Amino acid sequence: MAGFRNGRGRAGGPPQQQPQQQAPYGYNAPPPSYPQQYPPQQQWAQHQGGQAPYGEPEYFGDPHAPQQQHPQQHYAANNPGHTQAFSVHDDPYGQGATYQAGAAPVVPTGPRLPWKGLLSGIVLRPADTFLRMRDHAVWGPALIVTFLYGLLAIFGFDQAREEAINATLTTAIPYVLMTGLGFVVGGLILGAVTHTLARQLGGDGSWQPTVGLSMLIMSITDAPRLVFALFLGGENGLVQVIGWATWLAAGALFTLMVSRSHDLPWPKALGASAIQLVALLSLIKLGTL
């Protein structure tokens, strides 16, 4: 009877285990415990001796520095209300700067041209010539050509030519020399005005090439009219037509030169050359028409 009361049968075997009681409906039983598994990245990092918590690649942190990070801290940074701040360094476009003329300066395409190549290039290859000479001073050719042009320009005016021819040699020589010097000074002033306007419109060119090239354009473009005026006179109809055609050619060359020298679009380049063009029209073309 004692054995029966103690829960043992007649055979004296171990006590029988009671069946596990099932949880009531609507309640979840606690999940069974399993061995902790790690993602492949973390297992590889642990094998290498580093730390890569929660599957994060190793290059996001120091592979040799232990990281004590809460599991939720890595994901909370980008959750709503926990946006992570960041900054961009080494911005190649600057701090919100917009494009301005001259922001990317144009590099000249070659060395300085000799005076023969310069004079022929203004007529035959103006775009390449102006781009190549945008950083080179051209004082020698500019001063010489403008002075020679001024010496002959006096004979393009009918009244001035008659006075020079009828005057004595001692009177005519200083008169012609002063005219040549006056054209040089006038070319310098007009070229400086063109350069100043180009800089105010956003250009980045140097003043020496701009002034020198403007003097050469002024002299070279008016040379055909001057040649015919020496023999036919300034009042001749053919001379007048040539004068207007060469004035338009001068406007095109001035615009192209300022555009290449100052890195400006052609409307601004034409605006910078407007005063010089009007001055040439009133002093030279209208003076003979």
Side-chain angles (χ1 to χ4, degrees):
M1 293 298 291
F4 181 78
R5 292 176 180 175
N6 291 333
R8 294 192 298 269
R10 296 181 179 181
Q16 297 181 0
Q17 296 181 357
Q18 297 294 332
Q20 186 176 1
Q21 186 177 1
Q22 185 176 2
Y25 179 78
Y27 294 89
N28 293 327
S33 60
Y34 296 98
Q36 187 176 3
Q37 299 292 332
Y38 295 93
Q41 295 88 345
Q42 186 175 0
Q43 293 178 1
W44 180 85
Q46 290 180 353
H47 178 71
Q48 297 295 329
Q51 297 292 328
Y54 309 105
E56 184 179 1
E58 185 180 0
Y59 51 79
F60 278 94
D62 188 358
H64 302 290
Q67 298 183 5
Q68 300 294 333
Q69 187 175 9
H70 194 271
Q72 301 297 330
Q73 183 179 356
H74 174 70
Y75 300 98
N78 293 320
N79 286 339
H82 298 83
T83 305
Q84 184 178 3
F86 64 94
S87 60
V88 179
H89 301 282
D90 299 332
D91 185 8
Y93 300 99
Q95 300 296 328
T98 57
Y99 171 77
Q100 295 181 356
V106 181
V107 180
T109 59
R112 181 199 303 269
L113 290 172
W115 68 272
K116 291 182 179 180
L118 175 61
L119 298 181
S120 62
I122 292 177
V123 178
L124 302 177
R125 300 174 303 276
D128 295 337
T129 301
F130 295 147
L131 181 61
R132 186 169 178 175
M133 300 297 292
R134 60 167 285 158
D135 289 336
H136 299 293
V138 292
W139 290 123
L143 295 176
I144 294 174
V145 171
T146 306
F147 181 73
L148 295 177
Y149 165 73
L151 295 179
L152 299 176
I154 190 176
F155 297 98
F157 301 93
D158 294 340
Q159 183 177 358
R161 180 177 59 182
E162 294 177 0
E163 293 178 357
I165 293 175
N166 296 327
T168 60
L169 186 61
T170 56
T171 305
I173 292 179
Y175 184 66
V176 173
L177 293 177
M178 291 298 296
T179 304
L181 184 60
F183 270 85
V184 171
V185 175
L188 289 171
I189 296 175
L190 293 176
V193 171
T194 299
H195 169 75
T196 302
L197 291 176
R199 294 302 294 263
Q200 290 180 354
L201 293 175
D204 61 348
S206 302
W207 72 277
Q208 297 184 20
T210 303
V211 175
L213 290 174
S214 66
M215 295 172 66
L216 288 174
I217 294 173
M218 177 188 70
S219 304
I220 293 175
T221 55
D222 194 51
R225 182 202 64 85
L226 183 59
V227 171
F228 284 91
L230 292 176
F231 300 97
L232 302 177
E235 299 295 335
N236 184 271
L238 178 61
V239 175
Q240 295 179 9
V241 173
I242 295 175
W244 283 106
T246 55
W247 181 76
L248 294 176
L253 290 179
F254 276 125
T255 303
L256 186 59
M257 184 271 294
V258 175
S259 177
R260 292 294 186 271
S261 299
H262 289 266
D263 191 22
L264 288 175
W266 73 266
K268 291 186 177 182
L270 179 60
S273 308
I275 294 180
Q276 188 165 8
L277 286 172
V278 172
L280 292 178
L281 180 63
S282 59
L283 296 176
I284 298 176
K285 302 296 188 299
L286 295 181
T288 59
L289 296 181

